[in-house]
Amino acid sequence: MAQIGNLGKLIIFEVSSKKVLTFDNMQRTVSGRWAQHEIIGKKPVSEFLGPGQQKVTLQIFVSAMHGVKPRKTIEKLEKAVEKGKHYPLVIGGKKVGKNEWAVESVSETWGEIIDNGKLLAAHLTLTLSEYK
């Protein structure tokens, strides 16, 4: 098994002969907070207030053909969102950011569904926000 990374114990990203659970198109946003002070007859003056909250978005493909139970994975992620859970995000053995990440939202697009409504595959978009 080759572990790519993890979001705490919530989800383990890995590749093996029995299971493939990876992500694509990770986007991370690091920003600052700024205030604009209006000056009569002049341009506004910008003031740096401090760092902003970081965000991460991951696209995840879950498939029964790759040894992952899509419905079970979706339910775990939904539960984390609704309970306000937060976890460290580790990729390649290194933490992403200095703090943990709150599971802010998960959106899902269901793919193949077979007999009796069994979900075979789904595309998920996971949004995380820095938790301090």
Side-chain angles (χ1 to χ4, degrees):
M1 174 181 81
Q3 185 172 328
I4 296 165
N6 62 284
L7 181 58
K9 292 182 179 180
L10 179 65
I11 190 165
I12 309 294
F13 299 108
E14 63 183 278
V15 177
S16 71
S17 60
K18 295 181 182 184
K19 185 176 182 182
V20 176
L21 180 55
T22 60
F23 60 88
D24 281 326
N25 301 321
M26 179 178 143
Q27 293 183 329
R28 181 176 173 200
T29 303
V30 179
S31 62
R33 294 180 297 119
W34 293 86
Q36 300 296 320
H37 302 286
E38 297 294 329
I39 308 290
I40 295 174
K42 296 184 180 180
K43 290 184 178 184
V45 174
S46 299
E47 178 183 9
F48 181 68
L49 300 176
Q53 188 180 44
Q54 296 183 23
K55 300 265 185 187
V56 167
T57 303
L58 306 167
Q59 294 178 357
I60 304 168
F61 178 67
V62 289
S63 171
M65 303 288 213
H66 294 151
V68 180
K69 296 179 180 176
R71 199 103 179 221
K72 185 176 179 182
T73 302
I74 289 169
E75 289 169 357
K76 281 175 47 176
L77 291 170
E78 288 172 347
K79 188 175 182 179
V81 169
E82 292 178 346
K83 293 198 176 258
K85 296 291 185 175
H86 52 90
Y87 307 91
L89 177 61
V90 178
I91 299 173
K94 296 181 181 179
K95 283 180 66 177
V96 176
K98 296 176 184 173
N99 300 308
E100 291 193 345
W101 297 88
V103 185
E104 189 174 287
S105 68
V106 61
S107 63
E108 50 201 67
T109 303
W110 290 24
E112 302 168 60
I113 300 172
I114 60 168
D115 53 281
N116 296 327
K118 182 177 180 183
L119 179 62
L120 284 185
H123 291 273
L124 311 175
T125 300
L126 189 61
T127 303
L128 309 171
S129 57
E130 185 178 26
Y131 179 85
K132 188 170 182 177

